[in-house]
Amino acid sequence: VPLYPGLVDGPEGDGLFKALKAVVPPGTLELFIISGGLQPLLEGCLEHYGLRAYFTAVFACRMREDDPGDGLGARLDFPLETVGFTAKTQKLFNISKGSWKPQGPDVNAKVARGALRVPFENMLYLGDGHSDLAAFALLRMFKGMSIAVHQPGDLRAEAKAKTYSEEQGRAHAWFEADYRPGSALRTAILNWARQVSRGEQPQLGLH
């Protein structure tokens, strides 16, 4: 699966994730994927590009496999989990409370603000689709940050991202999905990371 430019190391410089780790104190940054795609495919993609070590967890759709013993081997049986609009917001609460961990609290448990594993105001969420709107809204409600990204050169996708940000006020900003060194999106992400790590109120440049 081809990735957006700038996510992996290349002739132009370090990939985004390595660059992010370099601008914040050690141990203060965690990366997660929340996706409507299939989890094994996403994890396989991370392994292929050497990115798996950067991510704490991948939350995505999962299927059960079953072998009925007919000699044809295991095959997909039924969905174990689907990740859509509301599930994405649930995963954000999972991350905030640490409830995806085996010994973590239940996602519905009331956790004092000071006891949250990751406060929402310390989160940055990037999304490129309609199913990210609820997550955008949740981050805005709890003073986190969200960015709508779009396929480079796709005018229709760009119009949607702009609508989510400027007209609907769901996302805080919108950018072309170009993560290369010096791009507007990478600059905004790295600035956000620096500001949050210093305890400052982060700001993102708008179009």
Side-chain angles (χ1 to χ4, degrees):
V1 177
L3 302 182
Y4 287 128
L7 291 177
V8 297
D9 298 348
E12 297 167 317
D14 291 341
L16 171 69
F17 309 118
K18 183 183 290 186
L20 265 172
K21 290 282 189 181
V23 301
V24 298
T28 61
L29 176 73
E30 287 188 322
L31 301 171
F32 297 84
I33 291 177
I34 306 175
S35 174
L38 287 171
Q39 185 166 335
L41 297 181
L42 291 166
E43 291 179 338
C45 186
L46 293 178
E47 293 288 347
H48 175 77
Y49 287 105
L51 299 176
R52 188 64 185 91
Y54 289 110
F55 287 85
T56 299
V58 176
F59 304 111
C61 301
R62 297 180 296 123
M63 299 286 290
R64 194 184 84 167
E65 294 186 19
D66 185 51
D67 188 345
D70 57 4
L72 299 177
R75 75 289 309 263
L76 298 181
D77 188 16
F78 65 86
L80 287 175
E81 182 178 24
T82 58
V83 177
F85 286 88
T86 55
K88 288 187 175 185
T89 61
Q90 181 197 47
K91 299 306 180 185
L92 288 173
F93 279 106
N94 284 142
I95 293 168
S96 180
K97 296 179 180 181
S99 55
W100 89 92
K101 291 175 169 289
Q103 304 304 320
D106 184 88
V107 68
N108 293 313
K110 186 174 182 179
V111 178
R113 177 181 172 134
L116 289 173
R117 188 174 183 276
V118 183
F120 282 105
E121 57 263 33
N122 288 356
M123 290 186 186
L124 173 65
Y125 183 96
L126 278 72
D128 64 358
H130 196 59
S131 65
D132 295 303
L133 292 180
F136 288 162
L138 180 69
L139 264 294
R140 182 173 282 277
M141 181 185 304
F142 288 102
K143 299 182 179 179
M145 193 71 71
S146 59
I147 296 177
V149 299
H150 65 87
Q151 176 78 30
D154 187 331
L155 296 181
R156 183 177 178 184
E158 180 180 0
K160 285 186 178 180
K162 183 178 180 181
T163 296
Y164 297 155
S165 175
E166 290 191 353
E167 297 177 21
Q168 297 181 0
R170 315 267 189 131
H172 291 85
W174 57 277
F175 291 94
E176 180 178 82
D178 180 353
Y179 299 90
R180 288 175 293 188
S183 69
L185 178 55
R186 179 183 284 213
T187 300
I189 293 172
L190 295 182
N191 284 341
W192 172 88
R194 291 188 187 98
Q195 292 163 356
V196 170
S197 69
R198 294 194 295 256
E200 301 172 1
Q201 180 64 38
Q203 301 292 327
L204 292 177
L206 297 176
H207 290 257

